[in-house]
Amino acid sequence: MKRLTSVAALTMMLLLSGCSSNYVMSTKDGHMIMTDGKPEIDKETGLVKYTDQAGNEMQINGDEVSSIIER
């Protein structure tokens, strides 16, 4: 019974952690930006839209971003 409970708890943790991925964006001037979810690139404006870890929707010029890496 204890093993079943442990397996159920582990399964729940894995399912919940897979709901959203966090990303790290590095800028050309050396800043690291932690995001909640995958940033989206708007091809019309060239802006990268993302949600910061506080839940605020932000934008940055795509020319300033050097890389986007999933954590």
Side-chain angles (χ1 to χ4, degrees):
M1 184 67 174
K2 187 175 183 180
R3 183 173 182 199
L4 181 61
T5 304
S6 298
V7 170
L10 180 61
T11 303
M12 284 296 284
M13 286 178 21
L14 290 173
L15 288 174
L16 290 175
S17 67
C19 291
S20 70
S21 297
N22 294 325
Y23 286 76
V24 178
M25 290 192 305
S26 61
T27 62
K28 292 182 179 176
D29 63 356
H31 288 92
M32 299 297 232
I33 302 170
M34 308 297 181
T35 70
D36 185 26
K38 185 174 183 177
E40 298 176 14
I41 301 169
D42 186 343
K43 293 185 181 188
E44 282 185 26
T45 63
L47 295 173
V48 178
K49 298 177 184 180
Y50 65 94
T51 304
D52 67 10
Q53 291 186 325
N56 302 312
E57 295 208 11
M58 309 290 285
Q59 295 180 346
I60 187 172
N61 189 335
D63 293 338
E64 297 177 25
V65 177
S66 61
S67 68
I68 300 173
I69 302 170
E70 185 175 10
R71 287 185 1 171

